[in-house]
Amino acid sequence: MQTFVIIGGVAGGASAAARLRRLNETARIVLIERGPYISFANCGLPYHISAIIPERDSLLVTRAAAFSKRFNIDVRTATTATAIDPAAQSVSIVDNATGASENVRYDALVLAPGARALMPPVAGAGLNGVFSLRTMQDMDAIIAFVRQQSPAQAVIAGGGFIGLEVAENLHRLGIRVTIVQRGPQVMKHLDAEIAAVLHAHLKGQGIELRLGNALRDIRAAGKGLAVNLKNGDRLSCDMVVAGLGVQPEAELARAAGLEIGASGGIAVNERLQTTDPRIYAVGDAIEVRHLVSGCRTVLPLAGPANRQGRCAADNICGADRAFAPVQGTEIIGLFGMAAGRTGLSEKELAAGGLPFATALIHPLHHAGYYPGARQMTLKLMFSRPDGRILGAQAVGFEGVDKRIDVLATAIRAGMSVHDLTRLELAYAPQFGSAKDPVNMIGFVAENILNGMVQTASWHEVEELSKTHMLLDVRTPAEYASGTIAGAVNIPLDELRKRLGDVPRGPLLVFCAVGLRGYIAARILAQHGFECRNLSGGYKTYSLVMSAGM
């Protein structure tokens, strides 16, 4: 009888165990989990803190006893795997409660150790009132502290997924929140135009942002804590929560002589085998290949981890399945706003040296004449000269998930911006527009590729203003309410009659969101003017500038 051992539960490990049983009814399957739960909803933890998810037990995907009974699996919770002997094909385990040790032999081993939360590498990180949020126990500790201490002020170290979600949910409890972020923006994988919208929204909700800064140390101060920042500022608070991200737990694999990739994740091949073909690895601990860049990376997301568990089990049972490269499709919701991404960002593409262009629009999420239409920001990255879609990002209140999912599918299918113009998407006025935002971003990108218009991004304005005249084609009222320094105002509807007022030098044209600027650029180009249209218009430029990015 074959024995399959899985180290770690949650998304990857539990999925592998269940799939192994569905494929092999006679094998002995042993699932080793050092914590008390074999599978829980990590992504739901922040929302139980504020009781948006009211029942703690609803976060438990399954309990050990029920999982063991249904799938006939030997589940060992509160048990730690301490060593792997690849030559003997055995795992050393220790019962956390009794200290009893045992060696379990395997025919195939699946590593799903996950990742650990990063704590601030500063003095005072171990003080009472300093927390991370990765496990149910972490969540319980935060809830108990809030109930017992009634904190008034919290500092969040880090502006990634966990940091922002904890910030939102502590704010819901009436706690004042300050986010300290080392970089210039929250959600570092987003481009500045998208992050700037989040910054404005967070500030509007009363969240204080300390960007471009980091913790120097944490000290006890009276009944609370003092967080000292590297710029010399001192923040008084009652609690600190680390939201610095996670690090792959690869120590067990490293000690067993398995290869660890440059990213810190366990190296695996397309079949999810480590450098020992009898040992597979899945989930947050592994290094995977990115679909767009082809580079190796770690991607701690539940969706890929679940699919990896299934793929590894298939291969253990005789299939020959390659795990598809990842593309990093993500979304976050904050105070009613959503921000999502898929593929590579402009920053990542620029760093990788790939030839690309971008398009940015501010469409309504459904038909403007139907009540409730909300504006979103949608950005597309695509290759030159073929127009293959390389990445997309969006932020807004409604419809963000739908557009990111469509564009994620388009990237997976290898589609181009030309394909986006031809997509037939569901339309009724309360759901979308006859020309969906996905179609619209395709039209804009196609115009850029075909040379119908030359564009400029917000970060090019300062340099271009030295050689280009800035032409604001909005209405006089819009112009009076704020414009780019040095811009001349000629409204679009007067442009044809006032071409004589336009100097023959190069022009940088802009409007509110880019559409009138495009029309103006087409008029001017056909009259012999050299011009560029500001992508995303004054809306994008002013948002990013006000955010100090």
Side-chain angles (χ1 to χ4, degrees):
M1 180 175 64
Q2 289 182 304
T3 297
F4 305 139
V5 176
I6 300 99
I7 298 175
V10 195
S15 295
R19 180 68 171 174
L20 282 168
R21 176 56 75 213
R22 292 195 295 271
L23 296 175
N24 188 325
E25 183 62 25
T26 62
R28 180 190 180 207
I29 302 175
V30 183
L31 175 60
I32 300 161
E33 168 56 50
R34 69 185 172 196
Y37 309 109
I38 60 167
S39 191
F40 61 92
N42 300 72
C43 299
L45 299 180
Y47 302 98
H48 182 56
I49 292 174
S50 65
I52 288 178
I53 298 175
E55 298 298 328
R56 182 181 186 277
D57 283 0
S58 64
L59 296 172
L60 300 176
V61 178
T62 184
R63 294 181 181 273
F67 190 78
S68 177
K69 181 178 181 181
R70 174 161 294 180
F71 294 105
N72 187 26
I73 290 174
D74 181 2
V75 178
R76 311 281 188 95
T77 55
T79 300
T80 301
T82 58
I84 301 168
D85 185 341
Q89 293 180 231
S90 71
V91 177
S92 299
I93 62 174
V94 173
D95 185 301
N96 296 344
T98 66
S101 61
E102 180 184 348
N103 289 328
V104 181
R105 190 188 176 280
Y106 61 81
D107 293 287
L109 173 65
V110 179
L111 300 179
R116 71 170 61 86
L118 290 170
M119 294 297 291
V122 299
L127 289 172
N128 182 47
V130 181
F131 303 92
S132 62
L133 182 60
R134 181 68 178 170
T135 67
M136 295 282 284
Q137 299 95 306
D138 294 336
M139 177 191 72
D140 292 339
I142 292 173
I143 292 172
F145 183 87
V146 170
R147 288 175 178 170
Q148 294 164 12
Q149 303 297 326
S150 300
Q153 179 75 47
V155 170
I156 310 296
F161 276 97
I162 288 296
L164 292 177
E165 289 167 353
V166 170
E168 177 187 20
N169 285 281
L170 291 180
H171 181 274
R172 289 181 184 276
L173 295 175
I175 300 171
R176 297 189 304 276
V177 177
T178 299
I179 297 173
V180 179
Q181 170 68 22
R182 181 185 298 274
Q185 65 174 70
V186 301
M187 298 295 290
K188 64 180 182 180
H189 294 302
L190 296 177
D191 285 326
E193 305 96 319
I194 307 300
V197 181
L198 280 182
H199 289 182
H201 185 58
L202 288 167
K203 291 175 182 177
Q205 296 295 322
I207 303 295
E208 183 181 357
L209 300 180
R210 296 294 191 100
L211 305 173
N213 213 330
L215 275 61
R216 188 179 70 205
D217 60 45
I218 306 169
R219 300 184 183 184
K223 295 182 179 180
L225 299 169
V227 176
N228 294 303
L229 304 184
K230 289 192 173 179
N231 70 347
D233 287 351
R234 180 184 177 95
L235 304 177
S236 297
C237 65
D238 303 294
M239 63 186 298
V240 175
V241 183
L244 300 174
V246 297
Q247 181 180 49
E249 294 218 32
E251 291 77 12
L252 197 63
R254 182 181 286 108
L258 304 178
E259 182 182 343
I260 307 301
S263 65
I266 302 168
V268 294
N269 62 18
E270 289 185 339
R271 301 179 78 250
L272 299 173
Q273 292 169 301
T274 67
T275 42
D276 183 324
R278 293 180 295 267
I279 302 177
Y280 295 73
V282 301
D284 294 355
I286 73 170
E287 192 179 64
V288 290
R289 185 166 65 86
H290 197 283
L291 174 67
V292 179
S293 70
C295 297
R296 309 295 294 186
T297 186
V298 291
L299 189 74
L301 295 175
N306 273 287
R307 296 192 296 276
Q308 288 158 9
R310 181 183 180 92
C311 180
D314 286 352
N315 288 324
I316 288 169
C317 292
D320 185 14
R321 302 198 191 284
F323 178 72
V326 301
Q327 62 193 82
T329 304
E330 307 169 335
I331 193 166
I332 187 171
L334 292 168
F335 299 104
M337 177 174 277
R341 73 182 291 256
T342 186
L344 295 180
S345 67
E346 179 177 358
K347 291 181 292 188
E348 291 165 331
L349 287 163
L354 296 173
F356 72 96
T358 68
L360 182 73
I361 60 175
H362 297 287
L364 297 176
H365 88 281
H366 65 50
Y369 62 83
Y370 190 87
R374 306 289 296 271
Q375 193 173 58
M376 69 171 70
T377 300
L378 181 60
K379 183 176 181 180
L380 192 73
M381 279 61 67
F382 52 97
S383 65
R384 288 184 182 272
D386 61 359
R388 181 170 61 93
I389 304 165
L390 303 175
Q393 300 184 18
V395 62
F397 291 96
E398 302 286 348
V400 167
D401 55 343
K402 172 181 176 178
R403 275 70 192 201
I404 289 296
D405 282 345
V406 170
L407 292 166
T409 304
I411 291 175
R412 179 66 58 179
M415 294 169 65
S416 73
V417 299
H418 308 293
D419 295 312
L420 296 185
T421 69
R422 297 187 286 264
L423 285 181
E424 187 175 330
L425 302 171
Y427 164 61
Q430 64 268 51
F431 299 110
S433 301
K435 291 185 288 190
D436 189 85
V438 171
N439 300 130
M440 290 301 301
I441 199 79
F443 294 143
V444 173
E446 190 173 61
N447 285 339
I448 294 170
L449 273 182
N450 293 343
M452 288 280 287
V453 66
Q454 290 186 320
T455 59
S457 296
W458 64 269
H459 53 77
E460 298 176 280
V461 170
E462 182 178 0
E463 189 63 28
L464 287 174
S465 65
K466 300 174 183 177
T467 55
H468 289 58
M469 188 191 91
L470 303 180
L471 179 60
D472 186 339
V473 297
R474 297 175 300 157
T475 66
E478 289 174 293
Y479 176 78
S481 68
T483 189
I484 302 174
V488 173
N489 180 222
I490 302 179
L492 172 62
D493 293 339
E494 300 176 14
L495 184 58
R496 288 184 179 89
K497 294 185 294 185
R498 295 181 57 184
L499 288 174
D501 297 336
V502 181
R504 280 288 168 179
L507 304 169
L508 177 57
V509 181
F510 66 94
C511 65
V513 298
L515 177 57
R516 284 175 288 173
Y518 165 65
I519 297 170
R522 290 301 303 147
I523 293 169
L524 291 165
Q526 292 177 80
H527 283 86
F529 289 88
E530 178 189 343
C531 57
R532 300 174 71 172
N533 183 33
L534 180 59
S535 185
Y538 183 69
K539 179 181 177 71
T540 293
Y541 176 83
S542 58
L543 265 173
V544 178
M545 291 297 105
S546 64
M549 303 171 75

